[in-house]
Amino acid sequence: MPAGLWAALGPLLWACGLALQGGMLYPQESPSRERKELDGLWSFRADFSENRRQGFEGQWYRTPLRESGPTLDMPVPSSFNDVSQDRQLRSFVGWVWYEREVTLPQRWTQDLGTRVVLRIGSAHYYAIVWVNGVHVAEHEGGHLPFEADISKLVQSGPLSSCRITIAINNTLTPHTLPPGTILHKTDISKYPKGYFVQDTNFDFFNYAGLHRPVLLYTTPTTYIDDITITTGVDQDTGLVDYQVFVQGSEYFQLEVCLLDQEGKVVAQGTGGRGQLQVPNAHLWWPYLMHEHPAYLYSLEVRLTAQTAAGAVSDFYTLPVGIRTVAVTGHQFLINGKPFYFHGVNKHEDADIRGRGFDWPLLVKDFNLLRWLGANAFRTSHYPYAEEVMQLCDRYGIVVIDESPGVGIVLVQSYSNESLQHHLEVMEELVRRDKNHPAVVMWSVANEPTSFLKPAGYYFKTLIAHTKALDPSRPVTFVTNSNYEADLGAPYVDVICVNSYYSWYHDYGHLEVIPLHLATEFENWYRTYQKPIIQSEYGAGSVAGFHQDPPLMFSEEYQKGLLEQYHLVLDQKRKDYVVGELIWNFADFMTDQSPRRVMGNKKGIFTRQRQPKAAAFLLRERYWKLANETMYHLSAAKSQCLENSPFSF
Ligand code: GCB
């Protein structure tokens, strides 16, 4: 649907339950559903041919990949870049090929009442998928899941195994998200013939590969395709509006049942949509805002259908947090109470794995967040793994959920083609993350050059579209203090602003920060009268570099810069500043450049997750902020703050 029409019709479609058809429920086991994880070693081959098309010309998907030439063992999930000793593979641009043979349970291949789905958590950037040499899916975008129903293929013959081939291209163009450009270096007196490099305008390494779990799962052929939950509160009663979409048959019954954490049924309903009312509801509160944060109910959905083969049932259980989100002219409210974001910006980034999903790393990161007293993070600069969002729901870590709209600086990246793709990405993101109580705001982009002429229409449309997709959450885009004529700001609900005072200019002069920052906040607020989040600020430090009086890149300078920001944040948070997110949680890899020392060093933790001095400073601050909030909300000292190193 054209973007303008979407903006106009979206709310109506939502109200009629017609928006966002086609689900992307997280695959889970249930009495009617099975899962088979395909993590582990895959066969891998990069296509180093000059035009990168040898794999297609030689149809590498037709026969086992090893028959096409030498293959490598490649772990999944992982980026391919940092696992080998091959310098050329690290910076490879073009098509790489992954392949895996899978043995399937007999029932999956023989029971025609079973639907078998292949799901790829993320393949960066463009992916084409074949099963037994047959094309089953194509997907653009490296940070969101996609699926293919492969039942017919695996149920058509005597085979109890299948061969999955995935070709992935990491090339970024002005119309991809994030955008990039391929630079052809044509001076053959200086570069080899056909030489090209990938150029980007963002500050992280363009890791590529199968970054998140790949799995097969089953459902019955009549199945629960999607569930949409929105929640509200009326005095002590929690309101859970639900819509359930079914595929495969028009003749079915639906029962929904909401259970509390003790397993007690607190509300029940029937049919595809309705409202459940929960008396004396436990609300979903952010970490450190309540003594029992992150309360999750379970919504059990049961489908029964009559099919030619007899009665079929499907079961799906969705965690549900009951909470409200609202924005006023100067506040961000969760459950009607002022919420102050004190947290971090992250990256999905680590040694060796690159952007590959890794449970130990994830759990370590959440333990560090809780140690720090952080109550929020922004998924800078792309959607994170679904498992990350699930942990945020469980721990009460509030999320600003960002699209991969980063590095939008070229005029071509504001074309209709780009806008159309950006709208589709927002649809995929909302479809995937709409039911997470932790997600309190969508961020459509980071630091686009919004002074370019077409940017006004682009952002107006994009933000309207996102609000139409999900009227229950505010929308922002993240701007930079340098971009004065900011065309996106009139349309957003919250102004998110990044600044790097005394880092990218006024080098070494920490004393100028308070005036710069206060002036900037006042200007934004005077112009727009919207709450403001300091969505990035920070300084680079090389762990172990010490210098006092502080010099840039020492741990003391990083700490000193933060302290100057905090002086102003402490004044303005009484008025309209509603949050502060440090740049960055941990050091992370970037492209090589004289401005970067083995990557970006603005982490308060090293890339190996060890604290720098700034981490201790922030820890003290965040726990104090948390204590203030708790005292503000209730006179009683909360249990969860008893562990605080700084409780009063
Ligand atoms: C920014 C960007 C972020 C960079 C950061 C920096 O404004 O949003 O992606 O990494 O600055 O360190 O320069």
Side-chain angles (χ1 to χ4, degrees):
M1 190 185 302
L5 200 59
W6 237 118
L9 292 183
L12 193 67
L13 294 177
W14 175 274
C16 305
L18 293 175
L20 281 182
Q21 295 256 342
M24 196 45 78
L25 289 175
Y26 186 73
Q28 56 167 235
E29 284 175 325
S30 80
S32 57
R33 294 170 175 237
E34 290 166 79
R35 265 171 70 120
K36 185 174 175 61
E37 269 140 53
L38 305 183
D39 297 352
L41 290 186
W42 289 52
S43 295
F44 175 91
R45 184 168 178 199
D47 183 347
F48 279 102
S49 64
E50 205 174 308
N51 67 1
R52 302 292 198 251
R53 303 219 37 99
Q54 193 192 343
F56 293 98
E57 288 156 8
Q59 301 188 323
W60 289 359
Y61 49 88
R62 299 284 303 253
T63 49
L65 194 56
R66 61 178 178 278
E67 293 176 15
S68 74
T71 57
L72 304 175
D73 281 341
M74 188 56 70
V76 173
S78 177
S79 300
F80 63 74
N81 308 80
D82 286 348
V83 294
S84 87
Q85 285 302 97
D86 182 349
R87 188 163 47 90
Q88 279 185 306
L89 185 57
R90 184 171 190 277
S91 54
F92 180 81
V93 180
W95 290 98
V96 297
W97 293 70
Y98 284 79
E99 183 203 72
R100 169 89 190 246
E101 293 271 351
V102 188
T103 306
L104 300 170
Q106 212 173 37
R107 202 182 61 72
W108 294 21
T109 58
Q110 293 183 357
D111 175 2
L112 300 185
T114 293
R115 182 173 155 263
V116 183
V117 183
L118 170 63
R119 181 190 175 100
I120 293 151
S122 106
H124 189 71
Y125 173 81
Y126 193 94
I128 308 181
V129 186
W130 296 263
V131 171
N132 294 337
V134 178
H135 176 280
V136 295
E138 257 177 67
H139 184 258
E140 176 174 357
H143 311 91
L144 289 163
F146 60 100
E147 299 186 336
D149 180 340
I150 61 166
S151 322
K152 284 210 175 72
L153 273 168
V154 299
Q155 290 166 353
S156 61
L159 283 182
S160 60
S161 69
C162 68
R163 186 168 41 82
I164 300 171
T165 314
I166 308 179
I168 302 179
N169 194 332
N170 59 354
T171 306
L172 301 179
T173 73
H175 303 304
T176 57
L177 267 192
T181 334
I182 296 293
L183 296 180
H184 293 273
K185 310 268 186 175
T186 49
D187 181 348
I188 52 165
S189 70
K190 293 186 179 152
Y191 297 97
K193 195 170 150 277
Y195 192 82
F196 63 89
V197 289
Q198 173 81 69
D199 188 36
T200 58
N201 282 295
F202 51 79
D203 183 32
F204 51 89
F205 190 74
N206 188 33
Y207 278 115
L210 288 171
H211 283 157
R212 297 184 190 149
V214 179
L215 54 88
L216 291 167
Y217 71 93
T218 65
T219 70
T221 44
T222 297
Y223 60 97
I224 299 161
D225 180 46
D226 198 14
I227 305 170
T228 302
I229 296 295
T230 47
T231 62
V233 180
D234 181 11
Q235 302 195 17
D236 284 344
T237 305
L239 308 174
V240 178
D241 287 296
Y242 67 89
Q243 287 181 57
V244 182
F245 297 93
V246 172
Q247 288 287 345
S249 169
E250 283 170 13
Y251 308 101
F252 56 83
Q253 284 93 46
L254 281 166
E255 289 163 65
V256 297
C257 193
L258 194 71
L259 280 73
D260 67 13
Q261 281 182 355
E262 273 70 56
K264 198 173 113 232
V265 175
V266 293
Q268 276 173 299
T270 53
R273 56 188 299 163
Q275 185 178 74
L276 303 177
Q277 302 198 346
V278 188
N280 302 316
H282 300 283
L283 300 188
W284 186 95
W285 287 97
Y287 175 52
L288 301 178
M289 203 175 172
H290 192 269
E291 54 190 349
H292 300 296
Y295 193 96
L296 291 175
Y297 291 89
S298 299
L299 185 77
E300 290 187 354
V301 180
R302 179 201 180 104
L303 162 78
T304 41
Q306 289 305 323
T307 66
V312 169
S313 302
D314 189 21
F315 305 88
Y316 192 92
T317 302
L318 187 76
V320 170
I322 302 177
R323 58 110 184 88
T324 63
V325 172
V327 174
T328 72
H330 65 287
Q331 285 179 319
F332 195 99
L333 305 174
I334 296 186
N335 299 331
K337 305 279 189 226
F339 177 72
Y340 188 76
F341 296 76
H342 44 87
V344 305
N345 292 276
K346 289 187 92 252
H347 263 299
E348 291 186 320
D349 174 274
D351 286 332
I352 304 169
R353 294 143 278 200
R355 223 172 286 312
F357 178 81
D358 181 47
W359 276 114
L361 182 76
L362 185 61
V363 172
K364 179 72 178 174
D365 280 5
F366 273 86
N367 286 335
L368 288 176
L369 286 171
R370 296 192 297 172
W371 173 88
L372 199 62
N375 64 3
F377 67 77
R378 171 165 72 115
T379 68
S380 45
H381 292 306
Y382 37 79
Y384 292 179
E386 291 157 285
E387 293 79 0
V388 176
M389 310 312 268
Q390 290 164 1
L391 281 196
C392 289
D393 288 347
R394 280 178 46 193
Y395 294 150
I397 304 291
V398 164
V399 177
I400 301 174
D401 204 351
E402 187 157 287
S403 90
V406 57
I408 307 179
V409 300
L410 303 169
V411 81
Q412 303 100 288
S413 301
Y414 286 109
S415 64
N416 268 341
E417 183 182 344
S418 291
L419 175 58
Q420 206 53 46
H421 177 57
H422 208 149
L423 297 176
E424 280 160 19
V425 170
M426 289 315 300
E427 276 177 47
E428 285 184 32
L429 176 59
V430 172
R431 178 180 295 135
R432 192 195 72 162
D433 287 351
K434 62 189 171 183
N435 292 324
H436 289 289
V439 174
V440 298
M441 183 153 65
W442 306 110
S443 163
V444 295
N446 178 69
E447 294 188 359
T449 47
S450 48
F451 46 77
L452 283 175
K453 230 175 160 205
Y457 172 75
Y458 189 101
F459 285 108
K460 187 175 172 191
T461 312
L462 187 61
I463 292 165
H465 179 77
T466 308
K467 289 186 179 198
L469 287 170
D470 179 8
S472 76
R473 289 180 176 88
V475 178
T476 192
F477 92 154
V478 175
T479 187
N480 183 294
S481 56
N482 296 327
Y483 303 154
E484 281 154 30
D486 207 302
L487 294 172
Y491 314 114
V492 298
D493 297 300
V494 175
I495 307 268
C496 283
V497 61
N498 302 341
S499 63
Y500 287 92
Y501 298 128
S502 304
W503 187 258
Y504 287 124
H505 45 83
D506 297 300
Y507 317 129
H509 292 287
L510 297 177
E511 65 280 5
V512 304
I513 292 174
L515 188 55
H516 273 58
L517 188 59
T519 304
E520 186 193 352
F521 281 153
E522 286 297 301
N523 286 343
W524 281 111
Y525 193 69
R526 191 175 330 106
T527 316
Y528 296 108
Q529 265 111 60
K530 295 180 182 180
I532 300 174
I533 294 177
Q534 180 70 46
S535 43
E536 286 179 26
Y537 71 109
S541 74
V542 179
F545 275 23
H546 292 288
Q547 194 73 40
D548 193 44
L551 296 185
M552 291 177 83
F553 287 104
S554 67
E555 294 197 34
E556 287 74 15
Y557 191 89
Q558 186 182 33
K559 238 177 100 179
L561 185 142
L562 268 46
E563 280 165 340
Q564 295 301 309
Y565 266 82
H566 297 162
L567 293 175
V568 182
L569 288 164
D570 279 339
Q571 288 161 17
K572 302 297 177 192
R573 71 188 166 87
K574 298 189 190 108
D575 305 329
Y576 48 74
V577 170
V578 297
E580 54 188 83
L581 304 174
I582 188 73
W583 190 264
N584 188 285
F585 172 73
D587 293 346
F588 59 90
M589 192 45 71
T590 63
D591 262 346
Q592 300 182 63
S593 98
R595 274 159 51 117
R596 296 288 176 252
V597 196
M598 306 276 283
N600 187 313
K601 291 284 187 273
K602 295 195 187 72
I604 55 164
F605 297 99
T606 64
R607 204 178 187 210
Q608 294 71 34
R609 279 39 180 188
Q610 294 308 316
K612 301 180 191 172
F616 294 99
L617 174 88
L618 272 190
R619 182 176 193 231
E620 182 170 343
R621 174 170 177 79
Y622 285 178
W623 280 99
K624 280 194 176 136
L625 288 170
N627 270 319
E628 272 180 35
T629 321
M630 293 293 288
Y631 273 85
H632 183 68
L633 290 178
S634 82
K637 190 170 170 183
S638 109
Q639 222 184 344
C640 69
L641 289 190
E642 267 163 20
N643 298 329
S644 153
F646 308 106
S647 49
F648 299 113

